Amino acid sequence: EDQVTQSPEALRLQEGESSSLNCSYTVSGLRGLFWYRQDPGKGPEFLFTLYSAGEEKEKERLKATLTKKESFLHITAPKPEDSATYLCAVQAAGSSNTGKLIFGQGTTLQVKP
Amino acid sequence: NAGVTQTPKFQVLKTGQSMTLQCAQDMNHNSMYWYRQDPGMGLRLIYYSASEGTTDKGEVPNGYNVSRLNKREFSLRLESAAPSQTSVYFCASRGQLAKNIQYFGAGTRLSVL
């Protein structure tokens, strides 16, 4: 069964304290892995797509990496405005036409000034 | 520049009442999706429409029906609401097939008493 697990569930950091969020997945052929950011009371907002092991994407203080079993979202010198829930999702190879995604439970990040 | 628009934003129902959640996208996307989000459960797919004229069940379809009214609009109907359907509902649409990015609305917060 295709599955996505994110850890930790919650993470508290001091401003400037770098850390990583983990997304472990089992899927029958990975077509893509997606990271989203969700602010309280809002819908998820797209951040990155990764397609193959070894790929990396960066945006400001965020860097996403991918291996054959997991993805990491590295946050370098975070600021309070980085506080949000980060969601990971995968698309299996068999879902090309439907576009169906399988989401993890999310990691809620709080960055204190 | 609206993207995906959901109405209403909030709704309170009594057990047994019915209602329809509306979703419209202005990005000319073919595929649209309905999710529910519950604490600790992540986003779970209720129904999806891979293209205009087609709809299919997702992971948790029981108690729901959908209508793909046209390319822009995809509605979700609760025929007889139950307290277990208290949740936040998100609609999404999918962009270019090659990128497969889903874009989300702001959500409908539903309470069933």
Side-chain angles (χ1 to χ4, degrees):
Chain A
E1 182 184 349
D2 298 337
Q3 195 170 352
V4 178
T5 303
Q6 291 187 246
S7 60
E9 287 187 17
L11 182 62
R12 283 184 173 186
L13 299 173
Q14 289 295 131
E15 184 172 3
E17 179 186 3
S18 301
S19 187
S20 297
L21 282 56
N22 178 262
C23 172
S24 296
Y25 64 91
T26 55
V27 66
S28 51
L30 179 70
R31 190 169 190 274
L33 185 141
F34 301 80
W35 282 99
Y36 284 83
R37 170 188 170 129
Q38 186 176 21
D39 293 304
K42 296 190 176 181
E45 179 183 346
F46 171 75
L47 290 173
F48 304 109
T49 310
L50 302 167
Y51 295 102
S52 57
E55 189 175 0
E56 300 181 350
K57 294 271 180 76
E58 285 189 70
K59 181 180 180 179
E60 296 181 352
R61 295 175 293 282
L62 300 177
K63 179 180 177 180
T65 62
L66 181 65
T67 72
K68 289 187 177 180
K69 293 184 177 181
E70 57 192 349
S71 176
F72 292 94
L73 186 64
H74 307 279
I75 304 175
T76 302
K79 298 182 178 181
E81 52 262 43
D82 295 321
S83 298
T85 296
Y86 292 86
L87 301 173
C88 172
V90 298
Q91 185 191 13
S95 299
S96 300
N97 291 333
T98 65
K100 288 167 62 177
L101 298 179
I102 301 163
F103 280 85
Q105 309 94 314
T107 294
T108 299
L109 172 66
Q110 183 181 24
V111 182
K112 293 193 169 185
Chain B
N1 202 25
V4 179
T5 303
Q6 292 184 237
T7 55
K9 295 190 186 307
F10 302 93
Q11 185 71 47
V12 179
L13 293 177
K14 295 181 179 178
T15 297
Q17 288 185 317
S18 61
M19 79 161 294
T20 299
L21 283 64
Q22 306 286 353
C23 175
Q25 52 92 8
D26 61 3
M27 297 175 282
N28 200 35
H29 288 168
N30 287 324
S31 302
M32 298 183 72
Y33 308 84
W34 276 106
Y35 294 89
R36 60 178 290 172
Q37 187 174 42
D38 302 292
M41 302 290 288
L43 284 160
R44 291 184 293 169
L45 184 64
I46 305 171
Y47 269 94
Y48 65 98
S49 173
S51 61
E52 188 179 356
T54 68
T55 61
D56 282 290
K57 295 178 180 179
E59 181 186 357
V60 287
N62 290 344
Y64 305 95
N65 284 302
V66 291
S67 295
R68 183 74 183 266
L69 304 171
N70 47 55
K71 191 171 185 179
R72 289 186 65 247
E73 298 173 286
F74 188 38
S75 63
L76 179 71
R77 182 160 179 85
L78 286 70
E79 290 291 352
S80 179
S84 60
Q85 294 178 305
T86 293
S87 188
V88 182
Y89 291 85
F90 289 100
C91 176
S93 68
R94 180 170 68 142
Q96 298 174 10
L97 286 180
K99 293 189 175 182
N100 197 51
I101 298 168
Q102 291 189 18
Y103 298 88
F104 286 80
T108 294
R109 283 142 190 85
L110 175 66
S111 291
V112 182
L113 306 178

